[in-house]
Amino acid sequence: MSPTTAPPSAPAGGRRGFAPAVALLDVGLLVAAFAVAHLVRFPWELSAVRLQAGWIEFATAPAIILVWMVLLSTFRTRDPRIAGIGGDEYRRLVTASLIAVAVVAVVAYAAQLDLARGYVAIAFPLGLLFLAVGRKAVRTVLARSRARGQRLQDVLLVGDTEDVRYVGRRIAATPSAGYRVRAIVTDCVPVGTVIDLGPVSAPVVSGIDDVLSLARSEAVSAVVVAGAVRGGHERLRRLGWQLEEHGVELVVSSPLADIAAGRVHERPVDGLPLMHVETPDYRRRTGKRLLDVVGAGLGLLLLAPLLGVIAVIIRLDDRGPVFFRQTRVGRGGEEFSILKFRTMCIDAEARMAALQAANEGAGPLFKMKDDPRVTRVGAFLRKTSLDELPQLWNVLTGSMSLVGPRPALPREVALYEDFADRRLLVTPGITGLWQVSGRSDLDWADGVRLDLHYVENWSFLHDVVILARTVPSVLRSRGAY
Protein backbone atom coordinates (compact mmCIF):
# COMPACT_ATOMS: atom_id res chain seq x y z
CA MET A 1 0.00 0.00 0.00
CA SER A 2 1.29 3.45 -0.87
CA PRO A 3 2.15 5.74 2.05
CA THR A 4 -0.04 8.40 0.47
CA THR A 5 -3.06 6.10 0.71
CA ALA A 6 -2.53 4.89 4.26
CA PRO A 7 -5.76 4.19 6.12
CA PRO A 8 -6.70 6.30 9.09
CA SER A 9 -6.01 4.80 12.47
CA ALA A 10 -8.87 2.71 13.75
CA PRO A 11 -10.10 3.43 17.24
CA ALA A 12 -8.07 1.51 19.75
CA GLY A 13 -9.64 -1.07 22.01
CA GLY A 14 -10.07 1.35 24.87
CA ARG A 15 -11.29 4.26 22.74
CA ARG A 16 -14.34 3.13 20.77
CA GLY A 17 -17.32 5.35 21.46
CA PHE A 18 -15.45 7.48 23.99
CA ALA A 19 -15.55 10.84 22.19
CA PRO A 20 -19.26 10.65 21.20
CA ALA A 21 -20.23 9.72 24.77
CA VAL A 22 -18.27 12.65 26.23
CA ALA A 23 -19.76 14.98 23.58
CA LEU A 24 -23.29 14.00 24.67
CA LEU A 25 -22.31 14.68 28.27
CA ASP A 26 -20.90 18.10 27.30
CA VAL A 27 -24.11 19.05 25.52
CA GLY A 28 -26.22 18.08 28.50
CA LEU A 29 -24.00 20.00 30.92
CA LEU A 30 -24.01 23.16 28.78
CA VAL A 31 -27.79 23.03 28.36
CA ALA A 32 -28.11 22.67 32.13
CA ALA A 33 -25.75 25.61 32.73
CA PHE A 34 -27.64 27.92 30.37
CA ALA A 35 -30.99 26.80 31.82
CA VAL A 36 -29.81 27.64 35.33
CA ALA A 37 -28.49 31.01 34.13
CA HIS A 38 -31.83 31.80 32.49
CA LEU A 39 -33.84 30.86 35.57
CA VAL A 40 -31.59 32.88 37.87
CA ARG A 41 -31.44 35.96 35.66
CA PHE A 42 -35.06 35.81 34.47
CA PRO A 43 -37.12 34.16 37.23
CA TRP A 44 -40.50 32.89 36.06
CA GLU A 45 -43.35 35.28 36.73
CA LEU A 46 -46.83 35.29 35.14
CA SER A 47 -46.70 38.78 33.75
CA ALA A 48 -46.44 40.09 30.22
CA VAL A 49 -43.26 42.02 31.03
CA ARG A 50 -41.49 39.02 32.53
CA LEU A 51 -42.58 36.69 29.72
CA GLN A 52 -40.99 39.04 27.20
CA ALA A 53 -37.78 39.38 29.19
CA GLY A 54 -34.99 37.03 28.24
CA TRP A 55 -36.32 36.02 24.83
CA ILE A 56 -33.07 37.11 23.12
CA GLU A 57 -31.02 35.00 25.50
CA PHE A 58 -33.38 32.05 25.10
CA ALA A 59 -33.16 32.28 21.29
CA THR A 60 -29.37 32.64 21.14
CA ALA A 61 -28.50 29.99 23.74
CA PRO A 62 -28.58 27.07 21.25
CA ALA A 63 -26.24 28.95 18.90
CA ILE A 64 -23.84 29.74 21.75
CA ILE A 65 -23.86 26.11 22.86
CA LEU A 66 -23.18 25.03 19.27
CA VAL A 67 -20.19 27.40 19.00
CA TRP A 68 -18.88 26.16 22.34
CA MET A 69 -19.22 22.53 21.25
CA VAL A 70 -17.43 23.20 17.97
CA LEU A 71 -14.53 24.82 19.82
CA LEU A 72 -14.35 21.90 22.26
CA SER A 73 -14.00 19.60 19.26
CA THR A 74 -11.54 21.91 17.49
CA PHE A 75 -9.22 21.88 20.49
CA ARG A 76 -9.62 18.09 20.74
CA THR A 77 -10.72 18.19 24.36
CA ARG A 78 -12.28 14.73 23.92
CA ASP A 79 -9.20 13.09 22.44
CA PRO A 80 -8.88 9.65 24.11
CA ARG A 81 -5.10 10.07 24.07
CA ILE A 82 -5.26 12.78 26.75
CA ALA A 83 -8.27 11.49 28.68
CA GLY A 84 -7.87 10.24 32.20
CA ILE A 85 -4.40 11.52 33.05
CA GLY A 86 -2.40 14.75 33.11
CA GLY A 87 -3.57 18.34 32.87
CA ASP A 88 -3.65 18.78 29.09
CA GLU A 89 -7.35 17.92 28.92
CA TYR A 90 -8.26 20.68 31.36
CA ARG A 91 -5.95 23.21 29.69
CA ARG A 92 -7.64 22.59 26.35
CA LEU A 93 -11.04 22.80 28.02
CA VAL A 94 -10.27 26.22 29.53
CA THR A 95 -8.73 27.52 26.30
CA ALA A 96 -11.74 26.47 24.19
CA SER A 97 -14.13 27.99 26.73
CA LEU A 98 -12.31 31.33 26.87
CA ILE A 99 -12.30 31.55 23.08
CA ALA A 100 -16.03 30.74 23.11
CA VAL A 101 -16.58 33.74 25.40
CA ALA A 102 -14.53 35.95 23.08
CA VAL A 103 -16.38 34.76 19.96
CA VAL A 104 -19.79 35.40 21.54
CA ALA A 105 -18.69 38.84 22.73
CA VAL A 106 -17.45 39.86 19.28
CA VAL A 107 -20.54 38.52 17.47
CA ALA A 108 -22.90 40.13 19.97
CA TYR A 109 -21.13 43.48 19.57
CA ALA A 110 -21.09 43.26 15.77
CA ALA A 111 -24.73 42.18 15.53
CA GLN A 112 -25.78 44.59 18.31
CA LEU A 113 -27.38 41.79 20.34
CA ASP A 114 -28.39 43.10 23.74
CA LEU A 115 -27.49 40.06 25.84
CA ALA A 116 -28.03 40.61 29.56
CA ARG A 117 -24.66 40.92 31.30
CA GLY A 118 -25.89 39.05 34.35
CA TYR A 119 -27.00 36.16 32.15
CA VAL A 120 -23.60 35.95 30.45
CA ALA A 121 -21.77 36.31 33.78
CA ILE A 122 -23.67 33.29 35.12
CA ALA A 123 -23.86 31.06 32.03
CA PHE A 124 -20.20 30.96 30.98
CA PRO A 125 -18.51 30.39 34.38
CA LEU A 126 -21.20 27.88 35.29
CA GLY A 127 -20.78 26.12 31.94
CA LEU A 128 -17.01 25.85 32.42
CA LEU A 129 -17.52 24.57 35.97
CA PHE A 130 -20.04 21.96 34.81
CA LEU A 131 -17.69 20.83 32.02
CA ALA A 132 -14.74 20.51 34.42
CA VAL A 133 -16.81 18.54 36.93
CA GLY A 134 -18.11 16.34 34.11
CA ARG A 135 -14.59 15.58 32.90
CA LYS A 136 -13.54 14.79 36.46
CA ALA A 137 -16.43 12.33 36.72
CA VAL A 138 -15.43 10.76 33.39
CA ARG A 139 -11.84 10.45 34.65
CA THR A 140 -13.01 8.71 37.81
CA VAL A 141 -15.12 6.20 35.89
CA LEU A 142 -12.35 5.67 33.33
CA ALA A 143 -9.69 5.17 36.01
CA ARG A 144 -11.80 2.56 37.81
CA SER A 145 -12.51 0.79 34.54
CA ARG A 146 -8.84 0.74 33.58
CA ALA A 147 -7.83 -0.46 37.05
CA ARG A 148 -10.05 -3.51 36.38
CA GLY A 149 -8.19 -4.13 33.11
CA GLN A 150 -10.88 -2.67 30.85
CA ARG A 151 -10.61 0.02 28.13
CA LEU A 152 -6.84 -0.44 27.84
CA GLN A 153 -4.67 -0.23 24.73
CA ASP A 154 -2.49 -3.29 24.12
CA VAL A 155 1.05 -2.20 23.23
CA LEU A 156 4.38 -3.72 22.27
CA LEU A 157 7.30 -2.55 24.42
CA VAL A 158 10.57 -2.19 22.51
CA GLY A 159 14.10 -1.47 23.73
CA ASP A 160 16.99 -2.65 25.89
CA THR A 161 16.19 -4.77 28.94
CA GLU A 162 16.69 -2.08 31.59
CA ASP A 163 14.80 0.56 29.63
CA VAL A 164 11.96 -1.88 28.98
CA ARG A 165 11.80 -2.88 32.64
CA TYR A 166 11.75 0.74 33.85
CA VAL A 167 9.11 1.96 31.38
CA GLY A 168 7.07 -1.24 31.72
CA ARG A 169 6.88 -0.87 35.49
CA ARG A 170 5.73 2.74 35.19
CA ILE A 171 3.02 1.67 32.72
CA ALA A 172 1.89 -1.23 34.91
CA ALA A 173 1.80 1.01 37.99
CA THR A 174 -0.35 3.60 36.22
CA PRO A 175 -3.29 1.83 34.54
CA SER A 176 -5.11 5.17 34.37
CA ALA A 177 -2.75 6.07 31.49
CA GLY A 178 -4.62 3.52 29.40
CA TYR A 179 -1.79 1.21 28.30
CA ARG A 180 -1.26 -2.53 28.82
CA VAL A 181 1.98 -4.25 27.80
CA ARG A 182 1.04 -7.16 25.55
CA ALA A 183 4.59 -8.35 24.85
CA ILE A 184 8.23 -7.22 24.82
CA VAL A 185 10.57 -6.94 21.85
CA THR A 186 14.29 -6.82 22.61
CA ASP A 187 17.61 -8.19 21.38
CA CYS A 188 19.12 -8.33 24.88
CA VAL A 189 17.56 -11.55 26.22
CA PRO A 190 16.37 -14.81 24.59
CA VAL A 191 12.86 -15.13 23.18
CA GLY A 192 10.54 -16.64 25.77
CA THR A 193 12.11 -14.82 28.71
CA VAL A 194 9.48 -13.38 31.04
CA ILE A 195 10.37 -9.90 32.32
CA ASP A 196 8.97 -8.74 35.64
CA LEU A 197 7.18 -5.38 35.36
CA GLY A 198 6.16 -5.05 38.99
CA PRO A 199 2.49 -5.96 39.38
CA VAL A 200 2.52 -7.88 36.08
CA SER A 201 4.99 -9.58 33.75
CA ALA A 202 5.33 -9.86 29.97
CA PRO A 203 7.16 -12.28 27.66
CA VAL A 204 9.88 -11.45 25.15
CA VAL A 205 8.42 -12.54 21.80
CA SER A 206 11.11 -11.56 19.31
CA GLY A 207 13.98 -9.28 18.35
CA ILE A 208 13.72 -5.66 17.25
CA ASP A 209 13.96 -6.56 13.54
CA ASP A 210 10.47 -8.10 13.77
CA VAL A 211 8.68 -5.12 15.33
CA LEU A 212 6.54 -4.32 12.28
CA SER A 213 5.33 -7.87 11.66
CA LEU A 214 4.66 -8.39 15.37
CA ALA A 215 2.65 -5.19 15.60
CA ARG A 216 0.37 -6.58 12.89
CA SER A 217 0.17 -10.16 14.15
CA GLU A 218 -0.36 -9.21 17.81
CA ALA A 219 -3.07 -6.70 16.85
CA VAL A 220 -1.69 -4.02 19.15
CA SER A 221 -2.72 -0.38 18.85
CA ALA A 222 0.69 1.12 19.63
CA VAL A 223 4.40 0.38 19.82
CA VAL A 224 6.16 1.95 22.81
CA VAL A 225 9.89 2.52 22.29
CA ALA A 226 11.70 2.59 25.64
CA GLY A 227 15.05 4.30 25.16
CA ALA A 228 17.35 3.99 22.17
CA VAL A 229 17.00 1.34 19.47
CA ARG A 230 19.62 -0.16 17.22
CA GLY A 231 19.81 1.94 14.05
CA GLY A 232 19.33 5.27 15.80
CA HIS A 233 17.06 8.16 14.81
CA GLU A 234 16.81 7.18 11.16
CA ARG A 235 15.48 3.71 11.95
CA LEU A 236 13.01 5.13 14.45
CA ARG A 237 11.69 7.57 11.86
CA ARG A 238 11.23 4.83 9.27
CA LEU A 239 9.53 2.62 11.86
CA GLY A 240 7.05 5.41 12.53
CA TRP A 241 6.22 5.64 8.82
CA GLN A 242 5.78 1.88 8.52
CA LEU A 243 3.54 1.65 11.57
CA GLU A 244 1.47 4.57 10.27
CA GLU A 245 0.61 2.57 7.15
CA HIS A 246 -0.98 -0.10 9.33
CA GLY A 247 -2.81 2.22 11.72
CA VAL A 248 -0.46 1.55 14.64
CA GLU A 249 0.76 4.44 16.77
CA LEU A 250 4.39 5.02 17.69
CA VAL A 251 4.98 6.12 21.29
CA VAL A 252 8.51 7.13 22.31
CA SER A 253 9.49 7.19 25.97
CA SER A 254 11.47 10.27 26.93
CA PRO A 255 14.74 9.67 28.76
CA LEU A 256 13.79 12.61 31.01
CA ALA A 257 12.35 10.64 33.92
CA ASP A 258 10.28 12.37 36.62
CA ILE A 259 10.65 15.84 35.10
CA ALA A 260 7.51 17.96 34.90
CA ALA A 261 6.44 19.22 31.48
CA GLY A 262 6.70 22.82 32.66
CA ARG A 263 10.49 22.49 32.99
CA VAL A 264 10.93 21.11 29.46
CA HIS A 265 11.03 23.41 26.44
CA GLU A 266 11.51 22.32 22.85
CA ARG A 267 14.24 24.00 20.80
CA PRO A 268 14.05 22.85 17.18
CA VAL A 269 17.43 22.72 15.45
CA ASP A 270 17.16 21.93 11.73
CA GLY A 271 14.15 19.69 12.27
CA LEU A 272 15.61 18.05 15.36
CA PRO A 273 13.55 18.79 18.51
CA LEU A 274 16.10 19.39 21.28
CA MET A 275 14.57 19.30 24.75
CA HIS A 276 15.88 22.03 27.05
CA VAL A 277 15.45 21.21 30.75
CA GLU A 278 15.33 24.19 33.10
CA THR A 279 17.43 24.04 36.27
CA PRO A 280 15.20 23.73 39.37
CA ASP A 281 14.96 26.70 41.72
CA TYR A 282 15.55 25.60 45.31
CA ARG A 283 15.42 29.05 46.90
CA ARG A 284 12.85 29.79 49.58
CA ARG A 285 9.64 30.86 47.89
CA THR A 286 7.68 33.82 49.23
CA GLY A 287 4.33 32.54 48.00
CA LYS A 288 4.89 29.11 49.55
CA ARG A 289 5.91 30.61 52.88
CA LEU A 290 2.89 32.92 52.88
CA LEU A 291 0.62 29.92 52.28
CA ASP A 292 2.34 28.09 55.15
CA VAL A 293 1.94 30.94 57.63
CA VAL A 294 -1.68 31.68 56.74
CA GLY A 295 -2.66 28.00 56.55
CA ALA A 296 -0.91 26.98 59.78
CA GLY A 297 -2.14 30.05 61.66
CA LEU A 298 -5.76 29.55 60.63
CA GLY A 299 -5.47 25.81 61.24
CA LEU A 300 -4.21 26.23 64.81
CA LEU A 301 -6.87 28.86 65.53
CA LEU A 302 -9.82 26.91 64.11
CA LEU A 303 -8.69 23.54 65.42
CA ALA A 304 -7.83 24.72 68.93
CA PRO A 305 -10.94 23.14 70.54
CA LEU A 306 -10.24 19.80 68.82
CA LEU A 307 -6.57 19.91 69.82
CA GLY A 308 -7.62 20.52 73.42
CA VAL A 309 -10.02 17.56 73.43
CA ILE A 310 -7.37 15.24 71.96
CA ALA A 311 -4.83 16.39 74.55
CA VAL A 312 -7.23 15.62 77.41
CA ILE A 313 -8.07 12.16 76.02
CA ILE A 314 -4.39 11.23 75.63
CA ARG A 315 -3.68 12.38 79.17
CA LEU A 316 -6.57 10.41 80.62
CA ASP A 317 -5.68 7.25 78.68
CA ASP A 318 -2.38 6.42 80.43
CA ARG A 319 -1.40 9.57 82.34
CA GLY A 320 1.58 10.04 80.04
CA PRO A 321 2.72 13.18 78.19
CA VAL A 322 0.43 14.60 75.52
CA PHE A 323 3.08 15.42 72.91
CA PHE A 324 5.85 13.38 71.35
CA ARG A 325 8.98 15.16 70.21
CA GLN A 326 11.50 13.59 67.88
CA THR A 327 14.58 14.86 66.08
CA ARG A 328 14.14 15.06 62.32
CA VAL A 329 16.35 16.41 59.52
CA GLY A 330 15.08 19.43 57.62
CA ARG A 331 16.21 21.74 54.87
CA GLY A 332 19.96 21.73 54.28
CA GLY A 333 20.49 18.88 56.76
CA GLU A 334 19.54 21.07 59.73
CA GLU A 335 17.99 19.08 62.57
CA PHE A 336 14.78 20.18 64.29
CA SER A 337 12.30 18.81 66.81
CA ILE A 338 9.07 17.58 65.23
CA LEU A 339 5.91 17.83 67.31
CA LYS A 340 3.16 15.19 67.25
CA PHE A 341 0.46 13.87 69.53
CA ARG A 342 1.82 10.86 71.40
CA THR A 343 0.36 7.64 69.99
CA MET A 344 2.66 5.07 71.66
CA CYS A 345 3.40 3.95 75.17
CA ILE A 346 5.89 5.98 77.16
CA ASP A 347 8.78 3.50 76.72
CA ALA A 348 8.23 3.03 72.97
CA GLU A 349 11.78 4.00 71.95
CA ALA A 350 13.33 1.57 74.45
CA ARG A 351 11.22 -1.32 73.09
CA MET A 352 12.13 -0.74 69.44
CA ALA A 353 15.23 -2.95 69.50
CA ALA A 354 13.17 -5.95 70.60
CA LEU A 355 10.79 -5.46 67.66
CA GLN A 356 13.36 -5.14 64.86
CA ALA A 357 12.75 -8.70 63.70
CA ALA A 358 9.09 -7.83 63.03
CA ASN A 359 9.91 -4.67 61.07
CA GLU A 360 7.67 -4.31 57.99
CA GLY A 361 9.05 -0.96 56.87
CA ALA A 362 10.80 -0.45 53.55
CA GLY A 363 14.46 0.58 53.42
CA PRO A 364 15.64 2.24 56.63
CA LEU A 365 12.06 2.89 57.81
CA PHE A 366 10.69 1.05 60.85
CA LYS A 367 6.98 0.28 60.49
CA MET A 368 4.59 -2.34 61.86
CA LYS A 369 0.92 -2.56 60.95
CA ASP A 370 0.14 -4.04 64.36
CA ASP A 371 2.74 -2.32 66.52
CA PRO A 372 2.18 -3.42 70.16
CA ARG A 373 3.52 -0.09 71.40
CA VAL A 374 0.58 1.89 69.94
CA THR A 375 -2.03 2.87 72.53
CA ARG A 376 -5.80 2.55 72.06
CA VAL A 377 -6.16 6.28 71.53
CA GLY A 378 -3.00 6.34 69.40
CA ALA A 379 -4.39 3.78 66.96
CA PHE A 380 -7.38 6.04 66.27
CA LEU A 381 -5.21 9.16 65.97
CA ARG A 382 -2.92 7.43 63.46
CA LYS A 383 -5.78 6.07 61.40
CA THR A 384 -7.33 9.53 61.13
CA SER A 385 -3.95 11.36 60.90
CA LEU A 386 -5.00 13.58 63.81
CA ASP A 387 -1.64 12.88 65.46
CA GLU A 388 -0.02 15.07 62.79
CA LEU A 389 -1.96 18.25 63.66
CA PRO A 390 0.62 19.66 66.15
CA GLN A 391 3.04 19.89 63.23
CA LEU A 392 1.15 23.03 62.25
CA TRP A 393 3.30 24.67 64.92
CA ASN A 394 6.43 23.45 63.12
CA VAL A 395 5.03 24.99 59.94
CA LEU A 396 4.29 28.29 61.64
CA THR A 397 7.81 28.50 63.09
CA GLY A 398 9.41 27.62 59.73
CA SER A 399 11.04 24.22 60.35
CA MET A 400 8.38 22.54 58.20
CA SER A 401 6.01 23.40 55.36
CA LEU A 402 2.44 22.37 54.67
CA VAL A 403 3.65 20.47 51.61
CA GLY A 404 7.05 18.92 51.07
CA PRO A 405 9.13 15.71 51.30
CA ARG A 406 8.59 13.45 54.29
CA PRO A 407 10.67 14.67 57.28
CA ALA A 408 13.43 12.08 57.72
CA LEU A 409 15.05 10.67 60.84
CA PRO A 410 18.83 11.15 61.26
CA ARG A 411 19.38 7.37 61.00
CA GLU A 412 17.56 7.38 57.64
CA VAL A 413 19.68 10.25 56.32
CA ALA A 414 22.83 8.38 57.34
CA LEU A 415 21.80 5.56 54.96
CA TYR A 416 20.94 7.82 52.01
CA GLU A 417 22.53 6.87 48.71
CA ASP A 418 22.17 7.58 45.01
CA PHE A 419 21.18 11.26 45.37
CA ALA A 420 18.45 10.58 47.96
CA ASP A 421 19.92 13.45 49.98
CA ARG A 422 18.44 15.86 47.41
CA ARG A 423 15.26 15.59 49.48
CA LEU A 424 17.01 17.93 51.92
CA LEU A 425 17.18 20.76 49.38
CA VAL A 426 13.70 21.94 50.40
CA THR A 427 11.70 22.17 53.61
CA PRO A 428 9.94 18.93 54.66
CA GLY A 429 6.16 18.94 54.80
CA ILE A 430 3.19 17.69 56.80
CA THR A 431 1.85 16.24 53.58
CA GLY A 432 3.31 15.55 50.16
CA LEU A 433 3.25 13.16 47.24
CA TRP A 434 4.21 10.34 49.61
CA GLN A 435 1.12 11.13 51.73
CA VAL A 436 -1.39 11.11 48.88
CA SER A 437 0.17 8.06 47.20
CA GLY A 438 0.04 5.48 49.98
CA ARG A 439 2.25 6.59 52.89
CA SER A 440 3.53 3.50 54.73
CA ASP A 441 2.31 1.17 51.98
CA LEU A 442 4.88 2.66 49.60
CA ASP A 443 8.09 0.91 48.76
CA TRP A 444 11.14 2.83 50.02
CA ALA A 445 12.39 3.44 46.47
CA ASP A 446 8.97 4.71 45.38
CA GLY A 447 8.82 7.07 48.35
CA VAL A 448 12.24 8.50 47.50
CA ARG A 449 11.26 8.84 43.83
CA LEU A 450 8.09 10.77 44.72
CA ASP A 451 9.97 13.09 47.07
CA LEU A 452 12.65 13.79 44.47
CA HIS A 453 9.96 14.45 41.87
CA TYR A 454 8.45 17.05 44.19
CA VAL A 455 11.83 18.67 44.90
CA GLU A 456 12.72 18.93 41.21
CA ASN A 457 9.32 20.07 39.94
CA TRP A 458 7.83 22.27 42.66
CA SER A 459 5.14 24.78 41.76
CA PHE A 460 2.62 26.72 43.82
CA LEU A 461 -0.27 25.10 41.96
CA HIS A 462 1.25 21.68 42.61
CA ASP A 463 1.18 22.43 46.35
CA VAL A 464 -2.49 23.41 46.16
CA VAL A 465 -3.34 20.21 44.28
CA ILE A 466 -1.50 18.06 46.86
CA LEU A 467 -3.32 19.81 49.71
CA ALA A 468 -6.64 19.13 47.97
CA ARG A 469 -5.72 15.46 47.44
CA THR A 470 -4.67 15.08 51.08
CA VAL A 471 -8.24 15.32 52.38
CA PRO A 472 -9.62 12.24 50.54
CA SER A 473 -6.33 10.42 51.19
CA VAL A 474 -6.70 10.96 54.94
CA LEU A 475 -10.36 9.91 54.83
CA ARG A 476 -9.40 6.65 53.09
CA SER A 477 -6.70 6.05 55.75
CA ARG A 478 -4.57 4.22 53.18
CA GLY A 479 -1.14 3.40 54.62
CA ALA A 480 -1.93 5.12 57.95
CA TYR A 481 -0.57 2.95 60.77
Side-chain angles (χ1 to χ4, degrees):
M1 179 180 292
S2 169
T4 59
T5 59
S9 298
R15 299 176 177 177
R16 294 185 182 92
F18 178 81
V22 177
L24 286 175
L25 176 63
D26 289 346
V27 170
L29 292 173
L30 290 179
V31 169
F34 279 82
V36 171
H38 200 91
L39 291 174
V40 172
R41 180 61 181 84
F42 306 107
W44 181 263
E45 294 180 15
L46 294 179
S47 67
V49 175
R50 298 306 299 172
L51 288 173
Q52 292 176 4
W55 72 268
I56 295 179
E57 288 76 11
F58 182 80
T60 57
I64 296 174
I65 292 175
L66 178 61
V67 170
W68 205 334
M69 289 292 295
V70 169
L71 286 169
L72 290 174
S73 296
T74 302
F75 283 89
R76 298 171 62 191
T77 63
R78 307 181 193 100
D79 190 336
R81 294 173 180 83
I82 64 171
I85 192 169
D88 197 25
E89 180 180 10
Y90 291 112
R91 282 192 292 269
R92 296 186 187 189
L93 190 69
V94 172
T95 301
S97 300
L98 291 177
I99 293 179
V101 174
V103 170
V104 170
V106 171
V107 172
Y109 177 79
Q112 295 185 347
L113 292 176
D114 189 19
L115 294 175
R117 295 178 182 176
Y119 173 80
V120 173
I122 296 172
F124 279 99
L126 196 61
L128 178 57
L129 176 62
F130 281 11
L131 289 173
V133 172
R135 296 305 174 87
K136 176 59 178 176
V138 170
R139 282 191 172 209
T140 301
V141 172
L142 195 58
R144 291 175 180 174
S145 177
R146 287 172 172 173
R148 295 192 298 266
Q150 303 168 354
R151 301 190 69 85
L152 295 174
Q153 288 181 262
D154 286 323
V155 301
L156 281 181
L157 194 53
V158 181
D160 292 338
T161 307
E162 290 305 314
D163 289 333
V164 160
R165 184 177 289 112
Y166 179 83
V167 174
R169 286 179 175 176
R170 299 280 74 78
I171 290 175
T174 316
S176 58
Y179 294 121
R180 174 173 51 205
V181 178
R182 177 77 169 270
I184 293 171
V185 178
T186 181
D187 293 330
C188 300
V189 295
V191 173
T193 303
V194 177
I195 296 182
D196 179 28
L197 302 180
V200 298
S201 58
V204 176
V205 294
S206 187
I208 294 179
D209 290 335
D210 300 323
V211 171
L212 186 60
S213 59
L214 282 169
R216 299 172 61 186
S217 63
E218 295 288 337
V220 297
S221 60
V223 170
V224 179
V225 177
V229 295
R230 180 165 44 84
H233 294 85
E234 184 62 27
R235 183 175 188 182
L236 190 61
R237 183 172 65 159
R238 291 182 178 276
L239 176 62
W241 291 338
Q242 293 168 333
L243 292 173
E244 179 186 338
E245 294 181 19
H246 300 286
V248 180
E249 297 175 353
L250 176 64
V251 181
V252 180
S253 168
S254 170
L256 304 175
D258 291 318
I259 295 179
R263 287 181 53 207
V264 181
H265 304 281
E266 182 178 316
R267 290 185 177 180
V269 178
D270 193 25
L272 178 66
L274 297 181
M275 311 307 290
H276 172 73
V277 182
E278 289 186 353
T279 303
D281 182 6
Y282 304 115
R283 297 173 298 177
R284 292 187 181 273
R285 294 106 174 181
T286 303
K288 182 177 177 67
R289 182 57 187 155
L290 181 62
L291 176 65
D292 287 343
V293 172
V294 173
L298 287 176
L300 288 171
L301 183 63
L302 297 176
L303 296 173
L306 176 61
L307 297 175
V309 171
I310 294 174
V312 171
I313 293 175
I314 294 174
R315 185 67 175 174
L316 293 176
D317 185 45
D318 62 0
R319 302 297 177 181
V322 171
F323 296 109
F324 171 72
R325 297 179 182 274
Q326 189 178 48
T327 300
R328 297 291 180 102
V329 182
R331 182 187 178 96
E334 183 178 346
E335 295 186 351
F336 69 97
S337 180
I338 196 173
L339 190 65
K340 303 175 69 174
F341 280 126
R342 184 175 59 87
T343 59
M344 291 187 173
C345 56
I346 301 173
D347 60 344
E349 291 294 315
R351 295 172 57 183
M352 182 183 292
L355 298 172
Q356 283 293 340
N359 181 20
E360 301 173 4
L365 293 177
F366 181 89
K367 282 285 184 180
M368 291 179 62
K369 288 186 177 180
D370 298 310
D371 197 321
R373 301 172 300 164
V374 178
T375 63
R376 293 173 300 172
V377 174
F380 174 77
L381 295 178
R382 286 183 169 216
K383 186 175 181 63
T384 57
S385 297
L386 292 174
D387 61 317
E388 311 281 355
L389 291 180
Q391 293 173 37
L392 291 172
W393 178 254
N394 289 111
V395 175
L396 194 62
T397 56
S399 56
M400 290 183 65
S401 176
L402 290 176
V403 183
R406 189 186 65 81
L409 291 163
R411 66 171 180 268
E412 297 171 21
V413 175
L415 298 175
Y416 276 175
E417 57 184 16
D418 196 23
F419 296 103
D421 57 350
R422 292 180 64 81
R423 302 164 87 184
L424 306 180
L425 290 171
V426 299
T427 307
I430 294 180
T431 185
L433 286 177
W434 52 274
Q435 166 84 297
V436 299
S437 303
R439 300 176 68 178
S440 298
D441 287 343
L442 286 177
D443 179 79
W444 167 255
D446 286 337
V448 172
R449 182 177 62 84
L450 289 173
D451 278 344
L452 292 182
H453 178 86
Y454 175 84
V455 171
E456 298 283 339
N457 303 291
W458 175 87
S459 72
F460 186 84
L461 181 59
H462 198 194
D463 273 8
V464 174
V465 170
I466 291 174
L467 286 172
R469 290 179 58 191
T470 298
V471 176
S473 178
V474 169
L475 293 177
R476 289 194 300 267
S477 301
R478 179 189 172 195
Y481 53 85

